[in-house]
Amino acid sequence: QTEDRNNLTVCDIYPNPFSQNVTFSLPSIVNYGTITILNSIGKVVFETSFQSAEPIVNLSHLPTGIYFYKVYSKDNRTYSGKVVKQ
């Protein structure tokens, strides 16, 4: 499920909490962009581009904790939320 709030949208991610890979479930019109992962103090700890409506990102290298994600699509939509590494 996605929810529009002034061009800021929440996307489904799973599993959450995760241990290795996270799948971002985006609207089918979003198939190209950038995913940025930030730590609890807002520092970018991982960034990658994607070309799929359901990109899978390997975050196994990150330490256990709470992270925030921002997905920037080519059509200027922004998706954000929280993900937990266990």
Side-chain angles (χ1 to χ4, degrees):
Q1 285 183 324
T2 59
E3 181 180 311
D4 278 343
R5 264 191 238 129
N6 300 328
N7 210 29
L8 183 67
T9 311
V10 177
C11 69
D12 286 337
I13 55 170
Y14 57 90
N16 190 8
F18 72 96
S19 58
Q20 291 191 354
N21 295 327
V22 176
T23 301
F24 290 79
S25 184
L26 300 164
S28 57
I29 58 165
V30 178
N31 54 22
Y32 180 80
T34 305
I35 296 171
T36 303
I37 307 293
L38 303 101
N39 65 14
S40 59
I41 59 170
K43 181 182 176 197
V44 173
V45 294
F46 182 79
E47 192 167 58
T48 188
S49 59
F50 65 92
Q51 295 182 355
S52 161
E54 290 216 351
I56 299 170
V57 179
N58 184 327
L59 299 174
S60 59
H61 63 284
L62 295 177
T64 300
I66 296 172
Y67 295 89
F68 298 92
Y69 65 84
K70 292 196 176 192
V71 179
Y72 302 98
S73 71
K74 68 176 179 183
D75 62 355
N76 295 320
R77 290 176 185 260
T78 304
Y79 303 84
S80 63
K82 182 170 70 171
V83 63
V84 178
K85 167 87 186 270
Q86 63 182 9

